Amino acid sequence: MAALEPGAAGPEQRIRFYQVGSHVVGNRLLHPEQRTVQARMDRSNTLTCGHRACRGCGEALGARYVLDAAMRAAEGKVIAANATGCLEVFSTPFPESSWQLPWIHSLFANAPAVASGVAAALRAKGREDVRVVGQGGDGGTVDIGFGCLSGMFERNDDVLFVCYDNEAYMNTGVQRSGATPPAARTANTKPVGASSGNPFGQGKDMPRIAMAHRIPYVATATIADPHDLERKVEAAMAMRGARYLHVFVTCPLGWGSEPRDTIKVARLAKETGLFPVFEAVDGEVVGVSRIRRRTPVEDYLRIQRRFAHLFGDPPRTDLIERIQQIADRNIAEFALLDGEGEPW
Amino acid sequence: MLRQLEGSAAVAETVALCRPEVVCAYPISPQTHIVEGLADLVAEGRLQPCEYMMVESEFAAMSVCIGASAAGARAYTATASQGLLYMTEALYNASGLGLPIVMTVANRAIGAPINIWNDHSDAMSQRDSGWIQLYAETNQEAVDLHAQAFKIAERLSLPVMVCMDGFVLTHAYERIDLPSAAAVDAFLPPFEPRQVLDPADPMTIGAMVGPEAFAEVRYLAHAKQMQALDVIPEVAGEFERAFGRPSGGLVRGYRLDDAETVVVALGSVLGTIEDAIDAMREEGVRIGALAIKSFRPFPLEEVRGALAGARRVVVLEKAMAVGIGGIVSTDIRMALSGRQVNGYTVIAGLGGRPITGASLRRLFAEAVEDRLEPLSFLDMDWDRVRAELARMAEGGRSGPHAENILREVGVVAGRSH
Amino acid sequence: MEARVAAPSLAVMDGARKRFEVRVHGRGGQGVVTAAELLSVAAFDEGHHAQAFPSFGSERMGAPVVAFCRFSEWPIRTREPVAEPDALIVQDPTLLHQVDLFGGLDRDGYVLLNSSRDIEELGLAEFAAGFRAERWLTVPAGEIARRHLGKPLPNAALLGGFAALSGQLKLESVLAAIGERFHGAAGEGNATAARECFQLVARQMLRSVSRA
């Protein structure tokens, strides 16, 4: 199946199924060509088993999906540059490594630049059949890696950069980053004294900052919709130039959610409107993943202990309302409900 | 071919002949003419295949070099001063990963106060970064050292910085014998990496190493620099055989044979020192000089041997270890441990203050009579220093030091120096 | 341009290593550094060792600027600024009372100033009398440059004058150096200006000789 044009709808397929408690359509019910890369026996297992990630780690899941899809698209010829962070640490406990592709970890702040360097070397050697993926967490992308990322975007270097956003500096013990949402508890934004967790700021909308650079492709995705995530990787790999993928990944340890809820939390982030899922080409949004069943933010916040202080005695309905307004604004700006979504 | 041209231009041409595949450019005085020269050479098609990357910071420049070198490309960049500091984290990373990157450092002072002129503070601040540090005395040597640097780096899998005095060498026009493309190709074979990111043979580079293995991995960096003590003279010898002139190596002595007093220094100041030594020799003073060419690794044995007959050693340094005194002096002292020698550290030329022949002759005259303090500062205006210290002692808001002293100096440069 | 290779004896003593040292004064934007560089190229073309370098760093139009050039039969090792020039080239006479132009000038030194006024009119006659006054000349290089180049950039023109005044370098060498650096109309204009200054200075020197 050819990679879909970004924003295009896939071919229609009628499926009969009987299933309760989930919205997920199992892979076996789909045409083989429409199954995920992960469902195939010949997947690369780029991030193979044996790594030291926590139970229910959303980032490990996301990285596995992203890289296997990238490897498939590039016929196994991918080089990865990884920032310091959870992914790097749990995947390479010396003397072991989970990576089954050429992989380099340099520093915290320079993964985009290192990736640019690899791409430059490949170009000088006439080996542009080999593709480059840069990756890091929200800290290494949105904060300390921001300068290098912007430089890579501006030069339009041929790199797909993936940010696995778990909304804090998890590897170092859950400290607040520029991606930490308002009211969230982190190690340095504890709800003690007059504080109610992370302040309500204006956020740092990394996907839109990427779009402002007018790079060929920007997309957001979550680990709750692996088909969508893989499709976006394929779409990105079909292009050249600077491409950016921002993946919402649940962190059970840092967020205080149950490991079994990892996918559910990610789905709720999308269904509440707190995490808009969309793609953009050359700086313009070309498609959104609509909300299927609109959900109040409370459902999302309740199952994460980092927001537990909002549900104390008395509950902070004022703050929950402010978070709801953020979701509402996203829904309006991205038209996340138009068409198929059910009103609530 | 003999040409009269600017040092930076000569370096750019020579680096191009070394066939770098990725060149990173971020501008900082006084290296700008080098990266500009390389840009022209790439644009004109005279350097290809080469990706010329204009990056957004020096930190990015070294990071791009890291990625490029790890992917098997010959990588080069240039910087100075603040830029070198900004890439410090990446310097350690490059040497720790064993990547044979070559970088020109156009030696310049480090602020505050901001100063764009020549001294050795920048490279000296990175002496422990694991990079090999070679110092050029002339622009001819700067040219020669770049060709040698790629060879040394790739033979050892260790990055090399070629230090040349900013403005004094980079912006000086002088006669230089530029090597031909064929000669450089014969001298410098294509880069064959010890480790490379290659889908055909995947490997993980940059793993985390805990207490159980870190010491051993780290020691290897030192072991490689110890090997460099052999490789550097080897490559210098290969260069001399190929190009017919001596350059590089670990140290170079000047009129050392019967010298009672030896002046030790790095870089371009040695030319001025040699003129002063010749003048004093004419008056019968037994004085000589020792040029340190390789500062890292530090050639302890060669220095000890060269200073064997010296009764007193004057180390002239263009940088300062704040809170103690000399930097090079410490290493010299280590080379001379167990020996009875009068050692003098002279800090000179900070922030581009010219080191004149007259000042050197006065200094050396005092040195040979042992009238120097163990630590002294050449041509320091002690009145201004005392005045500012007095201002501070008064307490209260005495103001920023730099601005206070500049006010005394006068805003317009009233003198030709 | 290829130059013959000088092969000095290494045993030569410092006193015999004669050097000619020039200091060029002007303001940022007047091509002071270029002047010193061109001098060094001209000297190189004649088979000398030559060195040229600036004393300033950051670019700023209008600020006083100094550049140095040394040339010699022998390799030049020293890197210090020229403290005792054998010749001064002053591209901007407004520096006269702002900067210590004449510091260290040799008693037999040459001085060439860019001005339409002569030494006496510039108020320098008494000072020059302490030196060899016949070696102090002015030449309206800026105006000459304006005529041939369209811009009052006196640097190349003054080098022609310097060749005539000092006799240290041939006009041909100066013109060759100019031609290597400047092409097309700029090259022709600068060369013509240099030639004219050369002739003007040569004439002035003849007159002073005949007066002596």
Side-chain angles (χ1 to χ4, degrees):
Chain A
M1 183 173 90
L4 286 174
E5 281 297 309
E12 265 204 359
Q13 181 182 345
R14 287 191 163 281
I15 304 160
R16 296 180 80 91
F17 70 100
Y18 306 92
Q19 208 162 306
V20 294
S22 153
H23 297 287
V24 176
V25 174
N27 268 316
R28 281 173 297 152
L29 299 176
L30 293 176
H31 189 277
E33 280 308 304
Q34 287 185 313
R35 295 177 195 171
T36 56
V37 172
Q38 283 302 308
R40 297 172 211 263
M41 292 296 286
D42 63 350
R43 64 179 187 267
S44 305
N45 274 327
T46 323
L47 176 69
T48 194
C49 55
H51 59 71
R52 311 295 205 260
C54 300
R55 269 189 318 153
C57 172
E59 185 161 357
L61 193 64
R64 181 152 60 86
Y65 270 79
V66 165
L67 282 157
D68 280 356
M71 286 282 271
R72 184 171 184 83
E75 294 170 354
K77 288 177 282 178
V78 176
I79 296 176
N82 214 127
T84 310
C86 269
L87 180 61
E88 166 260 325
V89 170
F90 72 62
S91 65
T92 57
F94 186 85
E96 298 167 36
S97 171
S98 282
W99 297 106
Q100 304 210 83
L101 86 171
W103 180 96
I104 182 167
H105 160 238
S106 173
L107 297 167
F108 196 10
N110 71 358
V114 174
S116 293
V118 174
L122 293 168
R123 185 133 135 217
K125 292 181 180 297
R127 285 302 307 274
E128 287 172 275
D129 55 317
V130 180
R131 311 299 301 279
V132 183
V133 172
Q135 52 186 12
D138 50 286
T141 304
V142 156
D143 285 347
I144 200 171
F146 192 71
C148 286
L149 186 64
S150 177
M152 181 208 117
F153 287 166
E154 187 275 321
R155 287 187 302 272
N156 201 30
D157 291 334
D158 190 14
V159 171
L160 166 60
F161 197 86
V162 183
C163 172
Y164 304 102
D165 185 4
N166 53 24
E167 301 187 340
Y169 289 95
M170 293 310 185
N171 180 41
T172 45
V174 196
Q175 291 84 20
R176 183 250 188 217
S177 80
T180 302
R185 176 201 186 94
T186 66
N188 46 6
T189 61
K190 296 195 191 79
V192 293
S195 165
S196 337
N198 195 39
F200 275 76
Q202 64 280 9
K204 198 168 195 185
D205 193 340
M206 196 61 229
R208 275 210 263 215
I209 291 169
M211 284 160 61
H213 286 72
R214 299 204 177 278
I215 54 177
Y217 187 74
V218 176
T220 66
T222 78
I223 50 172
D225 191 344
H227 286 262
D228 175 69
L229 175 56
E230 286 191 356
R231 185 185 61 73
K232 283 166 175 168
V233 173
E234 283 165 30
M237 293 299 285
M239 300 180 191
R240 295 271 174 177
R243 293 144 288 137
Y244 180 72
L245 191 55
H246 193 106
V247 186
F248 183 93
V249 298
T250 315
C251 174
L253 186 70
W255 297 2
S257 58
E258 291 301 311
R260 66 169 179 267
D261 281 343
T262 287
I263 305 290
K264 177 174 173 181
V265 168
R267 185 181 315 116
L268 288 173
K270 178 211 166 195
E271 294 291 299
T272 54
L274 280 174
F275 187 81
V277 177
F278 62 90
E279 33 185 355
V281 170
D282 296 332
E284 305 290 336
V285 176
V286 296
V288 301
S289 186
R290 304 217 192 277
I291 292 172
R292 283 142 47 112
R293 280 210 335 170
R294 187 165 183 186
T295 311
V297 298
E298 208 176 298
D299 290 5
Y300 168 76
L301 300 170
R302 250 185 213 290
I303 54 174
Q304 304 171 58
R305 283 194 299 283
R306 62 175 173 158
F307 294 113
H309 54 286
L310 301 179
F311 300 98
D313 182 19
R316 294 300 306 267
T317 47
D318 57 322
L319 299 180
I320 296 171
E321 179 52 35
R322 283 176 77 178
I323 295 171
Q324 185 63 58
Q325 282 165 14
I326 293 170
D328 294 346
R329 193 180 70 190
N330 287 341
I331 289 170
E333 281 182 9
F334 285 94
L336 295 174
L337 273 181
D338 294 359
E340 295 139 35
E342 297 163 19
W344 58 306
Chain B
M1 179 173 126
L2 277 182
R3 286 177 55 191
Q4 179 82 5
L5 77 171
E6 194 190 58
S8 302
V11 168
E13 300 243 355
T14 308
V15 168
L17 291 180
C18 294
R19 302 186 184 275
E21 292 163 281
V22 176
V23 170
C24 300
Y26 189 82
I28 183 168
S29 297
Q31 135 277 41
T32 46
H33 292 183
I34 299 175
V35 291
E36 288 163 18
L38 284 164
D40 289 347
L41 290 166
V42 171
E44 290 163 9
R46 287 167 55 200
L47 168 52
Q48 45 124 353
C50 177
E51 291 295 308
Y52 184 82
M53 303 273 289
M54 287 165 286
V55 291
E56 67 283 359
S57 77
E58 289 91 349
F59 175 72
M62 185 47 59
S63 300
V64 171
C65 282
I66 286 169
S69 188
R74 188 171 276 162
Y76 168 85
T77 190
T79 192
S81 179
Q82 316 297 136
L84 186 68
L85 291 196
Y86 194 41
M87 58 161 77
T88 299
E89 209 194 347
L91 288 181
Y92 277 75
N93 191 255
S95 71
L97 293 177
L99 297 170
I101 299 164
V102 170
M103 172 166 67
T104 311
V105 177
N107 296 115
R108 166 185 147 178
I110 293 174
I114 184 168
N115 172 297
I116 62 170
W117 291 272
N118 163 248
D119 72 26
H120 289 165
S121 315
D122 52 8
M124 285 296 158
S125 78
Q126 300 310 311
R127 62 192 183 274
D128 298 331
S129 63
W131 280 60
I132 290 174
Q133 283 195 8
L134 306 174
Y135 284 77
E137 293 182 46
T138 62
N139 277 318
Q140 179 69 67
E141 189 164 46
V143 156
D144 297 346
L145 281 178
H146 280 87
Q148 295 183 38
F150 283 102
K151 200 165 192 182
I152 294 166
E154 289 166 17
R155 197 171 278 184
L156 287 165
S157 249
L158 211 54
V160 177
M161 59 175 86
V162 178
C163 298
M164 60 190 294
D165 287 315
F167 288 122
V168 177
L169 287 183
T170 56
H171 285 58
Y173 257 65
E174 56 199 65
R175 172 197 287 210
I176 300 173
D177 191 354
L178 284 178
S180 70
V184 176
D185 280 340
F187 174 75
L188 183 66
F191 174 34
E192 284 187 22
R194 296 273 173 83
Q195 56 183 338
V196 66
L197 296 167
D198 180 1
D201 183 15
M203 63 174 58
T204 293
I205 298 177
M208 174 175 235
V209 175
E212 64 284 341
F214 183 85
E216 285 71 25
V217 176
R218 205 70 196 98
Y219 182 80
L220 288 168
H222 179 67
K224 286 204 276 191
Q225 283 226 8
M226 293 297 102
Q227 283 174 9
L229 288 169
D230 292 324
V231 172
I232 290 168
E234 246 167 54
V235 172
E238 288 165 27
F239 185 90
E240 182 167 4
R241 281 190 294 280
F243 294 90
R245 58 175 175 269
S247 67
L250 296 172
V251 299
R252 181 183 69 86
Y254 183 71
R255 304 186 87 161
L256 281 182
D257 281 342
D258 61 340
E260 277 188 355
T261 307
V262 180
V263 181
V264 183
L266 288 76
S268 65
V269 72
L270 279 150
T272 318
I273 288 174
E274 285 177 15
D275 271 5
I277 281 173
D278 281 356
M280 294 182 77
R281 278 278 180 180
E282 271 186 74
E283 291 156 18
V285 180
R286 286 162 52 187
I287 184 170
L290 180 66
I292 309 288
K293 304 281 200 186
S294 164
F295 183 66
R296 284 293 179 270
F298 191 82
L300 288 168
E301 272 181 43
E302 285 72 12
V303 169
R304 191 179 178 87
L307 298 176
R311 275 184 41 202
R312 65 183 70 77
V313 174
V314 180
V315 184
L316 191 86
E317 310 203 29
K318 275 186 178 176
M320 176 170 67
V322 176
I324 177 170
I327 298 172
V328 179
S329 306
T330 314
D331 296 356
I332 300 286
R333 226 165 261 131
M334 184 163 157
L336 294 174
S337 56
R339 278 256 200 94
Q340 191 72 338
V341 164
N342 291 355
Y344 303 103
T345 301
V346 181
I347 311 291
L350 294 182
R353 179 161 298 175
I355 298 173
T356 66
S359 288
L360 287 179
R361 282 194 292 278
R362 268 193 308 270
L363 174 74
F364 297 162
E366 288 178 49
V368 300
E369 293 175 10
D370 289 305
R371 281 190 288 122
L372 280 183
E373 293 292 321
L375 173 68
S376 61
F377 293 79
L378 190 69
D379 295 340
M380 180 72 75
D381 188 328
W382 292 108
D383 288 340
R384 288 202 199 124
V385 171
R386 277 188 281 270
E388 182 59 15
L389 288 171
R391 239 175 253 122
M392 271 176 63
E394 282 167 29
R397 206 179 279 187
S398 55
H401 301 309
E403 281 66 16
N404 288 345
I405 293 184
L406 282 173
R407 210 168 286 128
E408 295 211 358
V409 173
V411 175
V412 172
R415 291 195 232 139
S416 65
H417 1 314
Chain C
M1 184 195 237
E2 291 276 359
R4 49 183 175 79
V5 180
S9 154
L10 293 170
V12 169
M13 301 306 271
D14 178 66
R17 288 192 184 156
K18 289 298 297 167
R19 290 194 296 245
F20 195 88
E21 307 197 332
V22 184
R23 197 164 67 210
V24 187
H25 290 268
R27 291 185 184 280
Q30 291 175 340
V32 169
V33 179
T34 304
E37 291 171 358
L38 290 176
L39 261 185
S40 78
V41 173
F44 167 81
D45 287 347
E46 286 188 23
H48 299 298
H49 291 266
Q51 180 196 77
F53 57 100
S55 81
F56 76 109
S58 34
E59 326 269 324
R60 187 159 74 88
M61 302 296 270
V65 156
V66 191
F68 312 102
C69 176
R70 296 185 164 98
F71 49 90
S72 167
E73 269 188 89
W74 311 110
I76 300 169
R77 292 178 305 191
T78 189
R79 299 278 170 185
E80 59 179 328
V82 170
E84 292 171 359
D86 299 302
L88 285 177
I89 300 176
V90 181
Q91 299 196 178
D92 189 328
T94 67
L95 291 168
L96 267 169
H97 304 290
Q98 287 192 14
V99 168
D100 178 15
L101 293 175
F102 304 103
L105 178 66
D106 192 79
R107 287 220 67 234
D108 298 325
Y110 300 92
V111 176
L112 185 64
L113 291 135
N114 170 32
S115 178
S116 48
R117 295 192 275 171
D118 63 29
I119 294 291
E120 200 171 312
E121 287 167 332
L122 285 173
L124 288 172
E126 199 180 313
F127 187 57
F131 298 79
R132 289 182 60 175
E134 72 277 13
R135 293 186 170 184
W136 289 49
L137 294 182
T138 69
V139 69
E143 284 176 33
I144 293 171
R146 191 200 302 272
R147 263 190 285 114
H148 296 295
L149 200 55
K151 288 177 279 193
L153 283 175
N155 56 348
L158 282 167
L159 296 183
F162 168 80
L165 177 60
S166 67
Q168 291 287 326
L169 296 172
K170 299 197 272 283
L171 174 64
E172 284 71 39
S173 312
V174 168
L175 294 176
I178 290 172
E180 272 175 50
R181 176 70 71 99
F182 300 105
H183 308 295
E188 284 167 31
N190 273 318
T192 313
R195 228 179 264 117
E196 190 173 321
C197 276
F198 179 93
Q199 283 150 12
L200 258 180
V201 169
R203 268 203 299 274
Q204 282 188 65
M205 293 179 70
L206 269 176
R207 275 200 296 271
S208 70
V209 162
S210 61
R211 251 189 261 127

